[in-house]
Structures are given as C-alpha cells and as structure tokens.
Amino acid sequence: MYFESLEALLNMAGHGPYVWSCYGLFFALLGINVWHAKRQQLKALKQVKAFVRRNS
Amino acid sequence: MTESSWRMPRWFHQMGSPKWFYGFAGILQPWFAIAALGLLTWGAVWGLAFAPADYQQGNSFRIMYVHVPAAILSQSIFLGMAVAGAVGLVWKMKVAFMVARSCIAIGATFTAIALVTGAIWGKPTWGAYWVWDARLTSTLVLFFLYAGIMALNQAISERHIAGKATAILAIVGTINIPIIKYSVEWWNTLHQSSSFTLTAKPSMPADMYLPLLLTVLGSYCLFALVVLMRTRSQIVQSQSGASWLMQHRDITGA
Amino acid sequence: MIRYMWAIVRRDLLLVARQPAEMINPLVFFLLVIALFPLGVSPEAALLSQTAAGVIWVAAMLATLLSLELLFKLDHDDGSLEQLLLAPYPSWSLVLAKVFVHWLVSGLPLILISPLIATMLFLPSHAVPTLMLSLLIGTPTLSLLGAIGAALVTGVRGGGMLLTLLILPLYVPVIIFGASSVAAAAQGMAIGGYMALLAAMFVFALMITPWSAGSALKL
C-alpha cells in the first residue's frame, strides 16, 4: 500500500474529502443507474406475467 | 438507400430481431455485471490505496481514476447513441432505437459525474470549484445536449416516435460535438482563464495508468450492462403478447 | 420544385403581412432584453462597450428562438403541414423555404436595427459594420439549426421550452465566433478569420438541417 496507515489513507494529506467524495459519487450514481435498470426490467416482466395470467 | 445496396452479415440482421437480441443480451448480461464490478473495484482500490501520488498535485490526482472514465464514457455513449440511432433509421430496426434510448440516462449520469468530479478536483488544484476551463465547459455543453434529448423523450409519449426523434437529435448532436469542442477550446485560449489543465500529463508510470485502464474498461462494461438491461425491458414492454416471449423462461418460470 | 418553394415563401410572407405582430414581437423582445442589461448590470459606458458584443449576440439568439417555436406549429395545427408534406417534392425543400421566410421575418430586422442597439450599448462605431456582417452570416445559421428543433417539437405539448433546451447547446459555436468577431473589430483587429468560420458554420448548417428537419417533420 502507498499509505502507511488507514488514517493516512482516509486523510490523504488533506485531499481526502475531495478524493473520497468523488469516488462515493461515482459509485453511488452508477449504482443507482444499475438499480433503476434492474427495477425497470422486473417491472416489465411483472406486467407481462400479469397479462399472461389474465389471458389464460 | 435501396435495400440491396449493402449486404450486411447475418448476425447484423439477427441483432435486429427482438427475440434474438433478448436471448443474446440475457446471456451477456451477467458477464458484464461481473466484469464491471470486478474491474471497477480493482481499479478503484488500486487507484485509491496503491498508486503513487502525483509529484505536482499530490493525492488529489487520484480523482482522475473516476473523472477520466466518466469523461470518456460521456462522449463514447453519445457517439454510440448516434450510431444506434443511425442504424435504426437506415435499416428501420426497432431494437436499435431501443438501444439508443437506453443510452440516454446512463450517458447523462456519466456526464454529470465528469462535471462534478472535475469541479471537486478543481478545488485543490485551481483553488476554485468552477473554472471556465475548455474541457469542463464542453462537458457542460454535452450535458445540456443530453438534457435536451431526455426532455424530448419525456415529452413524446409514443415510443417509436420518441426513438426516431432521439436518433435524429443524437446524430445532429454528434456532428456538432467536434465543432463545439473546437470552438470552446479556441474561446478558452482567447481568454486564457487557466493555463493548467487537469489531466494533461506527458507520461505516466505504469503504476499510475494501469488503474485508469481498469476503471475505464469497467465503466464500459457497466455501460453495456445498463444498456442491455434497459433494452431488454423495452423489448418486453413492446413485445407483450408475442408468442416467443410468452413461452420464454423469464415469463413462464417462477 | 423551385415553384413549390416559391409558393410556400409567398404564402408565408402573405400570412406575416396580415399579422405583422409575429414579426414585430421578436424585435421588441430583442430591444427589451438589450435594455435590461444596462438596468441590471450598470449603465457605465466603459463596461457596456466591453460587453456589448456578447449581449447583442445573446439577445439575437433568444429573439430567434422565440419566433422559431411557431415555424411549423401553425401549419401543423391547421393541418396544412400534412398537405404540404404530401406534395411530390422532397421535405427538405419545404424546410428550406420555411427557414428562408423565418430569417426574412426575424433575422433581417434584427440586422437592420443592430446599429441602433450598438449605439445604445456604446459599441465603438468602427465595429458596427462587423456586427452587421457577423449577424448577416450568423442569423441564417441560427434559423437553420433552430429549424431542426422546431421540427422535432412540432406536435409536442409545451414545445417552446423544449425547443430552447434542444437548440441552445448547438448555438454555442455561433455565439463564440459571432461575439468574438465583434469584440475583435472593436479592438481594431482583423476579422477575416471569424467571418470565414461563421460562413463555414452556415454552410455546415445548410448541409445538416434540410435532412434532419425534413425527417423530423415526417415523424
């Protein structure tokens, strides 16, 4: 590891807040995208399943 | 363009069949999910904890490992959206329009990430969150282009019309992006707001650029994953009632 | 086809002549926006003359956008657009004719009153010919690019705001080179390069608009 301690990794010589907020934002926003796409998929399948049940 | 002027390979027309695309995308989907998760985690951990700090910018340069993939993806997704739209318009392929529409949200997300991380990176580097730097400014314009396409999609309720409108707008936007970029860069040199661009590095040691390669590849996989998922849901919505879908294991299974 | 386009131009000009408000409103809007800047920023001559080029170009852009909303909308609402598209001529000829009228009605008046505006904003008088020339090359580009957006939002509810969102990003290069040319002329620098770039953008818009607006109309 480049840093000597976990504290140094979090602090990053003062740049910690900037770096960590960027990484947090990156993963949070991308996570939301995947989650939303998954939900859309499940919703679409559920609708079709309901359609099948009604017509059988 | 006449139908027989270009002979496209068989897989190309197969991709245009909703049934075939649905099945093929279903096979690819988990692999992209694993690859995206693995590459992004690997790249982020490497970039955060193991890569050496930059001699000039110190640790704030680690933001590069998320900022640069977001910036690259924001442009490639727009291009991809235009290509998918053009395929849809030329070969009248419905699936291509669905792919184009699936690109909008994820593309806008990557653009927003590029903008915000660029601004956060700017604080320790330039001393201000926002500088009218050429790259940030043209990314902002790109974000506006995405916003316009998004708004147009919200306003048009009919799916196939929205798909074609998206395609036209994406093509026009893609043709314009190089002109916008050039004009903004030129404008920037005229006003000389900043002489120091964030990511202009002549050479980087392998320890510094390999994590970047990982996060860029991971971002591409994540983009592919989201587009496949969204396109599949659109196929399900539009093919409701088609017999192949009714007998598909996603519907009949538990 | 020329006759078809000519017929559309004549018809649209006649419609404007019967309802001159359509032509005057954007002009008043233009003047109003210009008048707001000294009120909002400062009436100081030194500051105004520095910002004049940008202000005039932004105002011209907004005035163009305002009138673009109706480019195809009126014809769409009364059904004549559908008839015009049924004519045995390519849809781009319709687009070009419409854009030409739009420029005559909204772009040309702006150019004609721009010397007046320039005086109000203390733009150096030797920059006025450049201002007019840049507007002369730039406003047709604005009308052309705007037609793409106007065609896309035809038949969409609340299209005006949407049109602005779609088109303003595409206007970025035009405003950069248009405003810079005037600023350069005010400082006594050469403007040939700017005019060439503006002309190139006009040609470029002329190439992409007929196709894209034409196919957007047929959606």
Side-chain angles (χ1 to χ4, degrees), chain B residues 27-48:
Chain B
I27 299 169
L28 288 180
Q29 207 176 290
W31 295 106
F32 276 124
I34 294 167
L37 189 68
L39 287 170
L40 284 179
T41 317
W42 187 12
V45 170
W46 192 350
L48 272 174

Side-chain angles (χ1 to χ4, degrees), chain C residues 30-111:
Chain C
F30 180 62
L31 283 169
L32 247 169
V33 172
I34 298 281
L36 286 178
F37 272 88
L39 294 175
V41 183
S42 143
E44 240 175 281
L47 191 76
L48 278 179
S49 70
Q50 257 194 349
T51 50
V55 170
I56 294 173
W57 261 97
V58 170
M61 203 165 269
L62 293 176
T64 309
L65 269 175
L66 190 75
S67 50
L68 268 170
E69 193 194 344
L70 297 176
L71 186 61
F72 300 111
K73 195 166 180 3
L74 296 176
D75 283 355
H76 174 265
D77 290 350
D78 67 12
S80 53
L81 185 67
E82 227 171 302
Q83 301 297 322
L84 285 169
L85 283 172
L86 280 177
Y89 303 104
S91 55
W92 57 259
S93 57
L94 167 70
V95 171
L96 280 183
K98 285 252 158 208
V99 168
F100 179 63
V101 175
H102 175 264
W103 179 76
L104 276 185
V105 171
S106 75
L108 199 57
L110 291 189
I111 300 169

Side-chain angles (χ1 to χ4, degrees), chain B residues 38-90:
Chain B
L39 287 170
L40 284 179
T41 317
W42 187 12
V45 170
W46 192 350
L48 272 174
F50 294 96
D54 184 64
Y55 72 98
Q56 222 179 347
Q57 301 184 32
N59 284 309
S60 68
F61 115 100
R62 293 174 200 283
I63 295 174
M64 178 182 79
Y65 300 124
V66 291
H67 172 77
V68 170
I72 292 176
L73 265 285
S74 66
Q75 292 175 27
S76 350
I77 293 176
F78 207 97
L79 181 66
M81 182 162 65
V83 170
V87 168
L89 287 174
V90 171

Side-chain angles (χ1 to χ4, degrees), chain B residues 138-155:
Chain B
S138 48
T139 309
L140 184 66
V141 177
L142 184 67
F143 183 73
F144 290 144
L145 284 171
Y146 274 116
I149 297 185
M150 247 177 176
L152 187 68
N153 259 278
Q154 304 264 296

Side-chain angles (χ1 to χ4, degrees), chain B residues 194-217:
Chain B
S194 67
S195 51
F196 181 55
T197 32
L198 287 172
T199 50
K201 279 275 163 304
S203 63
M204 268 194 278
D207 256 13
M208 270 170 142
Y209 78 71
L210 280 178
L212 181 62
L213 197 66
L214 292 176
T215 49
V216 169
L217 283 176

